[in-house]
Structure formats: structure tokens, C-alpha cells
Amino acid sequence: MTDVHSPQTQLADGLNYFAALDLGSNSFHLVTTRVIDQHVQPLLKFKQKVRLASGLSKTNKLSEEAIQRGLAALQLCAQRLQGFATEQVYVVATHTLREAKNADVFLARAAEIFPFPIHIISGHEEARLIYRGVAQTSSYQGRRLVIDIGGGSTEIIAGEEFEPKILASRSMGCVSFTERFFKDGKLSEKRFKKALIAARSELEPVAAGLRKFNAVEVIGTSGTIKAIAQWVQLRDQSAPDVITRTALQRCVEQLLTHTNISSFNEAAIDADRHGVIAAGLAVLVAVMDELELTSLTCHDAALREGVLYELAERVIGHRDVRQRTIDGMAARYQVDELQAQRVAETAVYLLRQVAKPWQLQQPAWRQRLQWAARVHEVGLQINASSLQSHSGYIIEHADMPGFSKEEQAFLAALVRNYRKKLQLERLPQLYLFEQRDLWRMIVLLRLAVLFNTDRQSSLLLKKIQVRQDTLLLTLTKEGNANPMLLNDLALEAKQQAKLGINLRVYG
């Protein structure tokens, strides 16, 4: 296995090193890379079979055994990430942790042994990153369809060149379907047909749109599809990495000559994948039939490569897809750009004054505050009444490429509480952020909005001082002569007291 030098040595050589870790429903995949002249060069690939999805109960709770398997794998990954800084590593969790009602238990215990934040991403975000991984590592640039069968979900993406056009994530995977239809290892035509019907039913809502896309190239990624491709090539002596629908049917017939998966011993497939191959095969047959596909070609890159390219762009190229998402949302909801800019500038000014005592010096805090200021009025498209609630709802439920579920929840909480009465009981439970930091960011956004209520470029605030949780605001002569501002600040002091902030105003 390739080893990785310490990041300090690497960075001293003028190179940039990154790592992506994909906490999948079947396996955990770690890849470390270095970026040279905009090219991502893999250094280490590490995989641990975890089968998280098999530990998910009917009530969507992870079993203690599954949690322990996941924690053991994370410990091994942590050893291989020693020396990496937080900004060099991005960890994403997919279907099983999206679904698990006790994901918070796993995250809390993981934090004790694993030093990097774990981002649970939505199905659409997973699909977008998969497409990115394929697009960045594929020579074909036309209309393509990408199919990724994972342990708990299957992602199907239609896109052209580097842009995904249709993103679909369906709740069917090789581990979850094994639990539903082949848990005891028994094989039969009846069981296989049930799995096939369930998969086709899951695909039905998205199939028509994907068929109409008329993709020229069809690509399959990840373990299940690669395993089936190897099976087909070895058996038929056919072209590598190609699966035809006819060859796939022969796989079904070959599999169903067995009455139990334990007797299936296909040499081309790794032994640890034998137990889930029936379910994976059923899902792939369903996809090809529903989308009317005659063949597909396997590709090595998938989710983790998409994560790596995005991470490298954020840190090196300063091209953050999250900024594009915010810009797109602001345009779509026709926000008042001048007002958003005024609020953002005031918020950043306030943040600079409190950053050190409140330990908010990292650039990411400024970025989050600017994003919130940019979109805090998107709810005007619904109604000016309860504007903050409408804005918060939109941000919480919108498809926001680049944002993890928790990042999106954090942003929605900021926007939902930028004015009016604070409802602390409605604030989300977060695991990657301290509650205190969320409260303080709400404080700053509320003040930034309050000082720009007149929607004009007015100089109302002279300076701000902070003493622990006491904020001392000194107003300008103009500000002190504004009775509406003084009244608003008096009311605001009562709201900020709920967040443990003592707001004092001086003329």
C-alpha cells in the first residue's frame, strides 16, 4: 500500500495534498492525492468493508454492531490521515447515515476518535458529486448518463460536459436490497423478481425524464457495476468494462441456477461481494430496463473523486460551488442586491470586531455570514409577512449544491432568525457546529439587518466593543438622533438576552 509523507514535508515541496473519505452504506473509501498544475494525482487508496446499511433496522436505527464496525473503520482511516489539516480533508456520509435516526449517536462517538468533521450529504448532493468525479476524469464531453449503485441508494445523473442536468437518488442499493429480499442467502426466481419489481417501482418517478434526455454515453460506477463487468468479461471473453443487457441477462440466469448465495462462487467477483451481488444485479437490471439501455461502460471515478476535485478547487482555485449556489439562489428569487450588500458589509464589519474574543477568526465564518446576508430576503417571493420564516423555509428545503445537510441547516437557522422574536426551541441540533457559535452568528446578522432597516447607506454605528458576552455599541450622532433605531435596539436587547448576550447602546 502506498504511504503518504507528512503534509508539512509535502507542502514544503510546493505541492498541495488533499484527502476525501466516503462513508458509504457498504464500504468506507479513503483516497489521498496531491495536486500538481491543476492535475489531481492519487497517492493512496484505502477501503474498509463496513456494511452500515445491514445494521439499519426497520425503524431506521443503526445497530450497536454496525456502529462499532463504522468506528473501527474510522480509526484506521484516522491513522492514514495523521498530519493532514482540517482544510485538507473532506468527509462525506451517504444514504445510511442520512436515514439513521440515531446518526447523532454515531457522529458523537466518531468525534471522540476521528479528528475531522463528517458531513452528511443529501441524495442530490451525492449525485452531483458523483457526476463531477466522472466528468473530471472522463475524456468524453457530450451528453452522458451516469449510474452509481451503492450500498443503500442508487444515483442516476444525466448531464452534458461538466454540468449535471438531472439528479436522481433512489432508495435502493446492494446492501439494503439484500436485507429486504435475500437476507437469509436464499435465491429463487420469485425472490429475484420481487427485488426487480421493487427497484423498477422506485425508478418509475424519474425514468421518463431520464429517457427523454437521450444520452449518447452511459457510464456505470462503483463496486457493484465494476464487479458485474469483471464477471461478464471473464465469462464471455468480451471487451473489458462493458456490460450489455444481453450479457446481464445471462448473469441472472447463471445466478439463479443456485438456491443459496453460499454456493455461488464466481471467481471474477471478490468473495466479500458475493453476499450482495444478487441485490446489486436486480437493481442494475431494473435500471437498464426502465431507462431502455442496451449497454453501459464502467468507469473508476465516482463520489470520492468528485469530492477531491471540489476540495482542491475550494482551496487552490478559490472556486467554491457553494458561492455559485448562493449567487444562483439570489438571482432566482430576485433579491435586492444593494440591500443584501449593505447587510453583508455591516455583518462583516461586526464580525471583525468580535472575531478574536469570540474565536470566529476562520475565513469560513465570514463566508457563512456573507451568504446569509445575501439570501436573507429570498422569502419576499412568498410574502413580506413572516419574511424570515419564509426565507428560512426556502433555504432549509432547497436543493443547494455544495452544502452538506448540516451546513444548509446552519444557514437556514441564521436566516430564519434574522429578525422578530427568537424561538430557540426551533433551532436545529447541530454536530459540526457549537451552539454558542450559531447563537453569536445570529446576533451579528440581526444587528447587521437592524442597522440597515432604512435600506439606505447611513452611518449609524460608530464602533462596537465586546467583553465576553457583552456587546457595547456606540452610535454616531446621526444614529443617536434616530428614534426608530433607538427603539429597535431596545427591543433587540431583549431578544439577544435569550442568546446570553448583554446588548448595551451608547450615544
Side-chain angles (χ1 to χ4, degrees), residues 342-343 346-351 354 358 369 417-419 439-453 460-461 464-465 470-473 475 485 488-493 496 501-505:
R342 284 189 289 265
V343 172
T346 304
V348 170
Y349 167 75
L350 294 170
L351 177 62
V354 304
W358 281 3
L369 205 50
N417 291 280
Y418 83 81
R419 66 172 199 161
W439 286 11
R440 287 173 170 177
M441 292 287 279
I442 289 173
V443 164
L444 298 177
L445 182 62
R446 288 177 68 91
L447 287 173
V449 171
L450 190 151
F451 278 107
N452 289 280
T453 302
L460 305 174
L461 179 63
I464 177 174
Q465 297 170 282
T470 295
L471 284 182
L472 307 173
L473 305 181
L475 304 182
L485 175 64
D488 288 345
L489 285 170
L491 294 173
E492 181 61 20
Q496 298 215 2
I501 299 297
N502 180 18
L503 185 65
R504 295 182 181 178
V505 181

Side-chain angles (χ1 to χ4, degrees), residues 40 133 145 214 218 246 264 308 322 366 392 406:
V40 174
L145 192 70
N214 292 324
V218 181
T246 301
F264 176 74
L308 277 171
R322 295 173 298 176
R366 182 181 69 251
E406 185 144 328

Side-chain angles (χ1 to χ4, degrees), residues 185-297:
K186 291 182 180 179
L187 292 173
S188 68
E189 186 174 348
K190 183 177 179 181
R191 287 177 176 233
F192 192 87
K193 188 174 181 180
K194 281 185 177 181
L196 191 60
I197 291 171
R200 294 193 67 165
S201 296
E202 187 68 32
L203 288 164
E204 190 175 4
V206 299
L210 292 166
R211 286 195 298 265
K212 287 178 184 177
F213 187 77
N214 292 324
V216 176
E217 182 183 58
V218 181
I219 291 176
T221 66
S222 294
T224 290
I225 290 178
K226 286 193 282 188
I228 293 172
Q230 291 168 355
W231 178 6
V232 167
Q233 184 192 3
L234 185 64
R235 183 193 65 206
D236 301 343
Q237 298 299 300
S238 56
D241 299 326
V242 175
I243 304 173
T244 65
R245 180 62 183 87
T246 301
L248 197 61
Q249 186 57 38
R250 288 201 292 272
C251 290
V252 175
E253 293 165 359
Q254 184 180 343
L255 180 72
L256 294 181
T257 60
H258 301 268
T259 57
N260 197 290
I261 198 66
S262 61
S263 64
F264 176 74
N265 190 26
E266 177 55 50
I269 300 176
D270 291 342
D272 61 0
R273 189 167 287 277
H274 282 173
V276 296
I277 198 64
L281 188 59
V283 171
L284 184 55
V285 170
V287 170
M288 295 191 76
D289 287 351
E290 277 295 306
L291 303 187
E292 300 174 358
L293 305 175
T294 57
S295 67
L296 61 80
T297 303

Side-chain angles (χ1 to χ4, degrees), residues 406-419:
E406 185 144 328
E407 286 175 323
Q408 189 167 345
F410 187 95
L411 186 62
L414 282 181
V415 170
R416 183 177 284 113
N417 291 280
Y418 83 81
R419 66 172 199 161

Side-chain angles (χ1 to χ4, degrees), residues 37 77 140 235 263 292 314 323-324 383 426 433 452 471 479:
D37 295 329
C77 292
Y140 180 76
R235 183 193 65 206
S263 64
E292 300 174 358
R314 282 187 195 179
Q323 186 62 54
R324 293 201 301 272
N383 200 308
R426 294 190 61 190
F433 300 96
N452 289 280
L471 284 182

